[in-house]
Amino acid sequence: MVRTQLQRARDGEITDAMERVAEREQVDPRYVREQVADGQAVIPANVHHDALDPMVIGREFATKVNANIGNSETTSDRSGELEKLHAAVHHGADTVMDLSTGDDLDAIREANVAHSPVPVGTVPIYEALTRVDGPADLTHERLLSVVEKQAEQGVDYVTLHAGVRMEHLPLTDDRTTGIVSRGGSILAQWMEENAMENPLYANFDDYCDVLVEHDVTVSLGDGLRPGSLADASDAAQYAELETLGELTAHAQDRGVQVMVEGPGHVPMDEIRENVERQQAVCDGAPFYVLGPLVTDVAPGYDHITSAIGATEAARHGAAMLCYVTPKEHLGLPEAEDVRDGLAAYRIAAHAADVANDRPGARDWDDALSEARYDFDWRRQFDLALDGDRARDYHDQTLPGDNYKDARFCSMCGVEFCSMRIDQDARAVADGEMTDEREHTDLAASDAAVVNRPPVGQHDTSRVPDLPADVDERTTVGDDADVDTDADAEVERGD
Ligand code: SF4
């Protein structure tokens, strides 16, 4: 019989996954066990996910980032999805959610799980809906069978919008943007047409039984999250949160690992209250937030509007950030959008970790700043969060190899390069001072792995080779080889 990480932690056991997580976070394994046992952290690790390199999600650990991938009924196939998975892992996703709603759902999901060193999440109601004519035709039995099948396929966590209840629906009537969660809107329609309570709520124990059987973590979805600033922090959102608090305790009592999803669109000045309220209501269960977007006026740039909110949320205790791409509200993201969204969110997560004084988090910044002041362009590119882009931008105007040793770039030009002027003024030209300066030793840093370059560091030794029809060159660019010694045994997630 499978015992979940939560059950084993409560029994006092330090599992292999906890040991591995402790190594990646640079903490004592006993601390990981305590956090999991208390429900303050989760290790999404389905027992059937052979390629997984375990990771932890919790407010006391480095902030994590999720990337959504998946096809729609109009776009992408299995090869395209594997390219997105490859790009997501390469660019630093700590987990991926397969939100496919188009063709070949099982083949895509099975391929994603087989090739993913990071936890894979899903929203099972999406698949369930593809099997019927409309939301009203869904049944508890069909939903449960989909959850069961996906658990057997090795999915590590599932979003269940079990907190949307009939009594909450009237609270959304006066909203500007109604119900914007796909799962929330499907379930609302089901409840209205069938005049019955949400089947995920009414039969929650049945789902818990399946989740425990495979150690699938539940991510309690926020089906009533606000879809605009106008609807943020309203009665519907907070009524659902109360139910999520109730379900958190219930699932944990049954041995299920739990995290809780959050908004959405929230003005900057309300984000802290949102996070602190979730932490209080859900007794510290990891908070997994989508953004939030801090303004509604910038479609095409919502990776930026939301990364601002995500930084604030993580600063105040959100444990994982679900990325948003520039295509949000506009279309299905392509591999390049995945890259842009992940860059924005790795920045948000790292900025929060620096501000929260996570051990060693600042070392990466210091090392890059030192390389910048030293005009060590190659090291600067190697250390950059997206070194390929940094190198490309630099080379657009100064492509020659000789410019990799130049004491200027094209931004200010040789005459006005302030760093060169400053060095000259301090009589430290020709590298005299920079050679002598003490440099940050990233190999000795006590930062969690996600706070050291390069991003996308996972043990990929159990990941099979990509199928021949997957063009990884279109997704990842050239590998930057950074020698941080401490990570020598860890391969890039590609
Ligand atoms: S030219 Fe300007 S931007 Fe470029 S390295 Fe010098 S100070 Fe920095």
Side-chain angles (χ1 to χ4, degrees), residues 372 375 377 407-414 416-420:
R372 180 172 285 154
F375 291 107
W377 292 101
R407 295 176 66 225
F408 67 97
C409 74
S410 65
M411 181 170 172
C412 320
V414 61
F416 289 92
C417 176
S418 56
M419 290 202 302
R420 180 195 59 74

Side-chain angles (χ1 to χ4, degrees), residues 34-86:
E34 282 169 22
Q35 287 286 303
V36 173
D38 290 346
Q40 314 280 300
V42 294
I43 301 176
N46 186 315
V47 293
H48 309 300
H49 188 172
D50 296 333
L52 182 71
D53 186 10
M55 50 78 74
V56 68
I57 302 166
R59 67 174 295 164
E60 297 303 323
F61 301 98
T63 306
K64 303 304 187 302
V65 172
N66 170 70
N68 290 338
I69 58 175
N71 72 353
S72 71
E73 57 192 348
T74 57
T75 319
S76 197
D77 55 15
R78 176 174 156 279
S79 300
E81 291 311 309
L82 277 177
E83 286 174 11
K84 285 186 209 165
L85 169 69
H86 187 60

